[in-house]
Amino acid sequence: MARIEHLLVECAKDADFIVNEREYGQGKYPDDKECLRVVGYDKNGDPIRRQAELGRLKHDVAFACVQREILRHFPNNVSIEPRYVIRTGKGGQQDIMKPDVVLHASGRPDQAQCVFDFKFPCLKDRKSDPLSVPETRDQMTRYASLDGQCNPAIITPQFGIIRE
């Protein structure tokens, strides 16, 4: 477990560094104004901000790292973006969850043991307190319903593993 968590943190740090270097140059990273810059619009006409675009790019690099560094050693115990369907009990409604990385029983992705989600905060205040984002807290509460052996965690380049 400690080895996997260490590698996940290294993957997050590498992804943050690689994408920032590629997008902004050596030793540079986006400021709040750049993070909030609108780079496009979704199908509903809502703005897509640079922070979301950077997060997607960093997730792609982090997932490649997980495949290279973790799945190679633990192919039967780790899944990237598995889907879980949880019945909420409210008129047959379902909650569909897709955490970034799940440590599970050998060959049994349906038996989640630990759930991890990469977060790449762009805004200054979110970098210093990643759990201040209500959506992140809600997400961790939902992941707790998977009944893992450890509390769900987020992984940031700045703080590593964070559990509530």
Side-chain angles (χ1 to χ4, degrees), residues 14 18 26 36 64 67 71 95 107 125 131 156 159:
D14 287 350
I18 289 167
Q26 188 175 2
L36 295 173
Q67 288 178 329
L71 288 180
D95 186 11
D125 65 330
L131 287 175
T156 71
F159 292 104

Side-chain angles (χ1 to χ4, degrees), residues 45-58:
D46 295 323
I48 298 171
R49 302 204 181 275
R50 182 68 168 149
Q51 63 185 353
E53 185 177 61
L54 290 169
R56 185 183 49 75
L57 293 170
K58 291 175 183 183

